[in-house]
Amino acid sequence: GDEPDNALKLKTLYHEYAHSQLHGLKSAFKDRPRAYQETQAEAVAYVAMQNIGVDTSNYSLGYVATWAKDKAVIHSALS
C-alpha cells in the first residue's frame, strides 16, 4: 500500500516545519551549523511520528548518522 510513502511524506513535513520554527531568521538556533540543524529537525520529525504510532527509525537514524558525524553535535542537537 501507500502507507510507507505517505508516512515518509508526513515525516518530511514535520522535518521541514521543525526547520521553519527552530532555524528561521529570528530563531535561537538559526546560526547553528547545518549538521546541528538537520539533526535537530529530524529528531523532531522522529518524535512527532512516534507520537502518532509510526516508527521512522529506519529512515531517521540513518539520516541523523549522515549529518551528525560528531557525537557532541548530536548530543547537543537532541538535547
Side-chain angles (χ1 to χ4, degrees), residues 2-12 14 42-61:
D2 292 333
E3 189 180 340
D5 196 42
N6 286 336
L8 206 57
K9 286 178 185 168
L10 180 59
K11 186 213 63 68
T12 300
Y14 280 131
E42 192 60 24
V44 168
Y46 171 76
V47 170
M49 294 300 286
Q50 288 286 110
N51 283 340
I52 60 168
V54 180
D55 182 6
T56 62
S57 57
N58 283 346
Y59 180 90
S60 296
L61 297 178

Side-chain angles (χ1 to χ4, degrees), residues 9-64:
K9 286 178 185 168
L10 180 59
K11 186 213 63 68
T12 300
L13 190 63
Y14 280 131
H15 177 105
E16 296 305 329
Y17 183 71
H19 275 309
S20 76
Q21 299 304 298
L22 294 168
H23 311 131
L25 293 176
K26 295 178 180 172
S27 86
F29 303 106
K30 69 176 174 23
D31 296 324
R32 296 294 173 97
R34 175 98 191 267
Y36 181 101
Q37 293 183 357
E38 293 300 331
T39 299
Q40 197 173 48
E42 192 60 24
V44 168
Y46 171 76
V47 170
M49 294 300 286
Q50 288 286 110
N51 283 340
I52 60 168
V54 180
D55 182 6
T56 62
S57 57
N58 283 346
Y59 180 90
S60 296
L61 297 178
Y63 186 91
V64 167

